[in-house]
Amino acid sequence: MRSRILGTGAYLPERVLTNFDLEKMVDTSNEWIIERTGIHERRIADQAEVTSDLAHEASVKALEMAGLEPHDIDLIVLATVSGDMPLPSTACILQDKLGAKRAAAFDINAACSGFIYALSVADAFIRSGTYRNILVVGAEILSRFTDWKDRTTCVLLGDGAGAVVLSPSDNDSGVISVRLYADGSLWDLLHIPAGGSKLPASEQTLRERMHYIKMRGNETFKVAVRTLQSLVEETLKDNGIKPSELSLLIPHQANRRIITATAERLGIPLDRVMLNLQKYGNTSAASIPIALDEALREGRIKQGDYILLEAFGGGLTWGSALIRW
Ligand code: ACO
């Protein structure tokens, strides 16, 4: 039995931070950011908003499209690296906000690959017959973990949330295959040094700005390009799908150059690649469900289409999901 996506939803905070705004904050330029990343602007959550609020807004829309009520949900799997607090899980707080009283709930930390990891868990629970309706969410307020004095990271990140409802399929539509990978030996390419058991919060960690995201961008970039090209190629080959049969590639929205390199290698024209990072930047675990929701609502996905989701992020982690709509 396959699982299939019954509904999607997304939420982006209202406040827009443009490259021109960033020019006034750090030594950067609109031209540099667009040329190296493709990003024009990103959304920043209001001070009063927390990650579970963004997740809640997206989830309500996904449930509405699926035609389900919160009490129909059996499980909530929420991918984030910027949850409301270290304990409890943001999924539990979301369960309370939704009033999804029957649902079990837990978080997944796989950085930008978090949504693919969460989807794979939900898919396995449905295939095994354990649960019927699962809410899979990617939600981030990265702006609270961004060092606004570090031009190498602050121009990249944004806030947002996306959600899908996964349920059993009664035909051949649905998740065909999910692949997950990790290479923990490269954990320090992308990390937040303090705030965990290794370096609990202290005056020193605060002074040394160790509670913010640190990334060795250029090294990460090279691994991402190499890894994603072979990941997409293998996923299609192993499932007997030619690149020309793929209706839409929905990549994690980290960098336009990474995305176009993958598409070019496979000969997938850019009109069959979902790109919205120019508006939202890199929203980590939220980027794929936001892009999926946007593509669906824009009418870019039709019944029977083959869709490929792929992501790469901190951990390092990466993964793909091939879906027949
Ligand atoms: N404005 C102006 N100049 C800058 C900026 C900036 N915002 N940031 C860096 N520079 C400078 C650097 O200091 C460097 O200067 P130098 O040559 O004098 O030393 C120069 O620009 C080139 O820097 P690189 O880091 O080599 O630039 P690169 O072309 O690699 O682009 C970027 C940087 C955009 C970060 C890119 O490497 C990238 O996208 N990396 C991958 C990001 C990613 O996919 N992360 C994984 C997912 S994220 C997650 O999991 C949360």
Side-chain angles (χ1 to χ4, degrees), residues 28 32 36 112 151 190 215 217-218 254-255 257-258 282 313-314:
T28 191
W32 191 96
R36 299 292 180 116
C112 300
R151 69 174 183 173
L190 181 47
M215 180 167 67
N218 191 264
N255 186 311
R257 288 186 293 142
I258 297 178
N282 178 351

Side-chain angles (χ1 to χ4, degrees), residues 1-6 126-127 132 166-175 324-325:
M1 186 194 350
R2 280 184 185 165
S3 69
R4 79 180 182 103
I5 293 172
L6 271 191
I126 287 173
R127 280 176 193 265
R132 277 193 73 77
L166 210 65
S167 300
S169 172
D170 50 13
N171 52 44
D172 69 349
S173 69
V175 177
R324 176 129 206 227
W325 206 262

Side-chain angles (χ1 to χ4, degrees), residues 26-29 32-33 36-37 81 110-113 140 142 150-157 190 213 215-222 224 252 254-258 282-285 312-317:
V26 287
D27 179 15
T28 191
S29 68
W32 191 96
I33 302 172
R36 299 292 180 116
T37 71
V81 290
C112 300
S113 314
E140 305 279 10
L142 295 176
D150 175 7
R151 69 174 183 173
T152 67
T153 51
C154 76
V155 303
L156 307 172
L157 309 169
L190 181 47
I213 294 165
M215 180 167 67
R216 304 219 300 268
N218 191 264
E219 287 164 74
T220 310
F221 183 93
K222 286 177 189 152
H252 166 52
N255 186 311
R256 191 184 161 94
R257 288 186 293 142
I258 297 178
N282 178 351
T283 57
S284 191
F312 181 91
L316 296 177
T317 54

